[in-house]
Amino acid sequence: MPSHAPIQILLVEDNEPDVILTQEAFLDANLPTIMQVARDGVEAMQILRREGEFGASPRPDVILLDINMPRKNGLEVLAELKDDPALRTIPVVVLTTSQAEEDILRSYQNHASSYIVKPVEFDQFYSAIQALGQYMLGTVRLPPH
């Protein structure tokens, strides 16, 4: 794999075990990433808009977005950020346990780049995250900031 500057990732996830597993999968794969975590949709939008305590937050290169979260769910976040000219070019990968066709359809209608159902098994989840990281670093051209 060619060397890259680290990819800035915003992980929007309220499930602590999934946060830890995602972080470890990227670390173990030696993928050059810097990951910031938002625990719900409200915090994600504050980070993206650099509000309050998040004024110095870097603009993410990609967002990994869960759907089922408190305060503001992932579909609401997706619609809001794709409606914002300053944020809409950030690729969003929906990474969720939901297999509901309505969630999949709404995600793509709101311009999600991909929709990935989290595997339930630890090893499969870990492998899926590592494959996603390899794909982002080895294949995808990210938009300039």
Side-chain angles (χ1 to χ4, degrees):
M1 174 188 306
S3 65
H4 292 277
I7 290 181
Q8 295 281 343
I9 297 172
L10 175 59
L11 174 62
V12 187
E13 173 64 66
D14 65 317
N15 183 302
E16 189 62 25
D18 285 354
V19 169
I20 292 167
L21 189 57
T22 302
Q23 291 171 325
E24 289 178 356
F26 275 97
L27 283 172
D28 286 354
N30 289 323
L31 300 171
T33 59
I34 298 171
M35 188 174 295
Q36 185 170 13
V37 179
R39 303 298 174 175
D40 62 45
V42 171
E43 186 175 84
M45 293 311 300
Q46 290 171 336
I47 290 169
L48 289 165
R49 292 193 171 123
R50 298 180 177 136
E51 296 173 349
E53 67 182 282
F54 303 109
S57 292
R59 177 186 168 95
D61 295 308
V62 66
I63 299 168
L64 303 180
L65 180 65
D66 188 22
I67 287 180
N68 302 309
M69 293 181 297
R71 298 202 299 164
K72 183 180 286 197
N73 72 40
L75 293 172
E76 293 168 322
V77 170
L78 182 59
E80 191 173 331
L81 78 93
K82 292 303 181 178
D83 194 43
D84 185 327
L87 302 174
R88 74 171 50 129
T89 60
I90 302 171
V92 177
V93 175
V94 175
L95 183 62
T96 186
T97 56
S98 175
Q99 297 184 43
E101 287 185 19
E102 179 181 330
D103 288 341
I104 296 167
L105 181 60
R106 285 185 60 204
S107 293
Y108 284 119
Q109 285 173 335
N110 283 307
H111 308 287
S113 299
S114 299
Y115 191 101
I116 299 172
V117 176
K118 294 178 193 174
V120 176
E121 296 295 321
F122 171 83
D123 290 341
Q124 291 175 339
F125 181 79
Y126 201 78
S127 295
I129 294 299
Q130 288 188 328
L132 175 63
Q134 294 289 346
Y135 171 71
M136 289 187 318
L137 286 164
T139 306
V140 174
R141 288 278 317 254
L142 297 170
H145 292 206

